[in-house]
Amino acid sequence: MHIKFYTLICSAALLAACATYTPDPVDFDRDGTEWFMVSTRLCPPNSSISRGSMRSIGLLLNPALNKARLSYAAETEASRFAGLWEDPSLSVEGVRVLRENFNNNSIGPSLSIPVTGLPSLAKKVAEQYNEADYWSMRAQERAFLTDLEVLRYNILVIHDKLSLIRARLNQVKVEKKDIDRLYKLGEVELSDYQASCQRFNDTMKECQELENEHLAKRHELIAQMGLHPAVGSIELEGKLPGGVPSLVRPPSVAQLLESPELHSMLAAYGASETELRTEIRKQYPELSIGPSLTREEGNNKIGIGLEMNLPIWNRNRMGIAKASGARDLKHHDTIALWRKLQQDVSALNARQKLAAEHCRTEMERMLALQETGKQQEELYKLGETSLPALADARHEIFQRRMSYLDCLGTLLEIQTKLQYINPYYQP
């Protein structure tokens, strides 16, 4: 499901909630119960979750995204009332003439007419900032999906590495046991015995570190998706690519122009331009008009009054200067972001090519060592090589497999970022 669909659905719901709902006092017990029920319904405890479901749940429950949607909904609601005219004023005056013993009264409503068009400019500013908030929210959603996809690949890589290292650790235990027995019989040198012990300890430590990292990443995934911790351990569906993935085509300069971050900056820059126009308009006089009804010495009088301010000395110079400086800063930030997007694409594409080359190199070394390892296994069965030599060959193959997974994880992370920086990419 596309990002825009989630944006529109969530924003519409939150906008309606802001307009019609007064929140109750914070109730942690009720919130905890609702959170648990929603989480377990979307993701039953200890279940497997697909890539699409992971993205859908994350877009729905991630707290940072929901905060951005609430902010956008609030700004949208507020922008509806931007640019309203000032309320009319009413003046009432009563005077009693003591010696003549009669009262003089007057009543006069007054209405300010915005001849400079400031309300329409204020409404336009609110609409432009509201548009900037919308594109900023879209950018946050894409950034979230990027991080979520990278985290998913990290977990899959660690999962494969754990399976590999656990199998190797069981093998190392058997090797160490046999080498210990041969060392006691004097058939293995001290250096080989020490190397066997060191290999076992290093493999055990590496396995423990990977288990800790795997656990931390799984909890990070639950938190990033906004799920209740009671869902427990989540298994991810899907596997890593069987070979080196093809290169991802980087977005063109024309495609980068549709970036939501750039759209947000452009809308904010447009708002700063309108704000400058607003400050310039403020240096011109405003007009107030109002009829009056006066009763004086027993006679009723009707009149009309005009009021106009005279900006002779001030002319709103400070407001214009501040708005002009803010507009220049927005212009600078927009250009800087545009340049950064191009720099990021270039850097990611270069890193992608290098990571792909490293992957291919590691795969070639791994395949070559596997062929050599098969020969070593046959020679060991024939008694043509020693157990320490076979253990060294096995461990070298294991290290190359681990190194390949590291390179593959790096490549997948770079390609994910390169894909999501393209505004037209829809996973």
Side-chain angles (χ1 to χ4, degrees), residues 53-354:
S53 297
M54 180 185 69
R55 294 173 60 254
S56 301
I57 295 172
L59 286 170
L60 182 65
L61 297 183
N62 180 263
L65 292 182
N66 285 326
K67 180 180 179 181
R69 290 167 184 146
L70 280 172
S71 176
Y72 171 67
E75 291 297 331
T76 301
E77 181 68 13
S79 66
R80 293 173 53 204
F81 306 102
L84 298 179
W85 283 25
E86 293 185 7
D87 291 330
S89 61
L90 180 66
S91 62
V92 179
E93 182 180 0
V95 178
R96 180 174 179 81
V97 182
L98 297 179
R99 292 184 180 181
E100 302 295 334
N101 194 25
F102 59 82
N103 298 326
N104 292 334
N105 303 315
S106 65
I107 181 171
S110 177
L111 177 64
S112 295
I113 301 177
V115 293
T116 55
L118 291 178
S120 62
L121 289 175
K123 180 143 186 89
K124 185 175 181 181
V125 167
E127 291 173 350
Q128 288 173 317
Y129 275 124
N130 192 45
E131 181 185 0
D133 289 339
Y134 167 76
W135 287 110
S136 177
M137 181 177 60
R138 291 283 306 276
Q140 289 184 56
E141 288 175 340
R142 291 192 74 86
F144 166 76
L145 290 177
T146 303
D147 294 340
L148 191 65
E149 191 82 359
V150 168
L151 180 58
R152 175 178 176 271
Y153 280 130
N154 288 340
I155 293 175
L156 291 177
V157 168
I158 294 174
H159 186 271
D160 283 10
K161 291 174 70 175
L162 264 178
S163 299
L164 191 60
I165 199 171
R166 284 169 178 166
R168 176 57 187 152
L169 184 60
N170 292 332
Q171 193 178 47
V172 168
K173 289 178 181 178
V174 175
E175 291 172 356
K176 183 178 181 300
K177 183 178 180 181
D178 292 339
I179 291 176
D180 288 350
R181 178 176 55 81
L182 293 175
Y183 175 70
K184 291 177 182 179
L185 296 175
E187 296 183 10
V188 172
E189 296 182 359
L190 177 61
S191 59
D192 292 332
Y193 170 74
Q194 292 175 336
S196 174
C197 294
Q198 186 66 42
R199 185 184 301 118
F200 173 77
N201 293 332
D202 291 344
T203 307
M204 176 65 74
K205 181 181 178 182
E206 189 175 358
C207 182
Q208 292 171 349
E209 291 174 350
L210 274 176
E211 288 174 341
N212 289 331
E213 187 178 1
H214 191 240
L215 181 63
K217 291 293 184 183
R218 291 163 82 94
H219 282 286
E220 183 181 346
L221 177 65
I222 292 174
Q224 196 164 348
M225 292 171 61
L227 292 169
H228 194 284
V231 299
S233 179
I234 298 178
E235 293 294 334
L236 297 180
E237 296 180 0
K239 296 181 180 180
L240 293 173
V244 179
S246 303
L247 294 180
V248 172
R249 184 177 180 180
S252 64
V253 173
Q255 290 174 326
L256 287 178
L257 288 173
E258 299 301 321
S259 170
E261 296 95 335
L262 197 58
H263 274 296
S264 178
M265 274 292 187
L266 287 171
Y269 172 69
S272 69
E273 283 275 9
T274 308
E275 286 175 330
L276 177 57
R277 290 170 54 197
T278 301
E279 297 299 327
I280 293 174
R281 292 278 185 92
K282 287 180 181 179
Q283 68 179 326
Y284 298 107
E286 289 284 8
L287 179 66
S288 297
I289 186 172
S292 63
L293 174 63
T294 305
R295 182 174 179 80
E296 184 176 353
E297 299 180 0
N299 298 317
N300 294 327
K301 301 177 181 181
I302 298 177
I304 188 169
L306 295 175
E307 181 181 349
M308 183 174 62
N309 61 327
L310 298 176
I312 299 176
W313 297 287
N314 181 18
R315 300 182 66 82
N316 199 34
R317 291 172 183 170
M318 185 173 70
I320 294 174
K322 287 184 176 180
S324 178
R327 187 271 312 268
D328 293 342
L329 285 175
K330 286 287 196 305
H331 181 272
H332 172 271
D333 291 342
T334 304
I335 295 299
L337 175 62
W338 167 240
R339 294 177 179 178
K340 183 178 182 300
L341 287 173
Q342 297 180 73
Q343 291 169 344
D344 289 346
V345 167
S346 178
L348 286 171
N349 192 35
R351 291 179 57 199
Q352 175 191 213
K353 294 177 181 178
L354 184 61

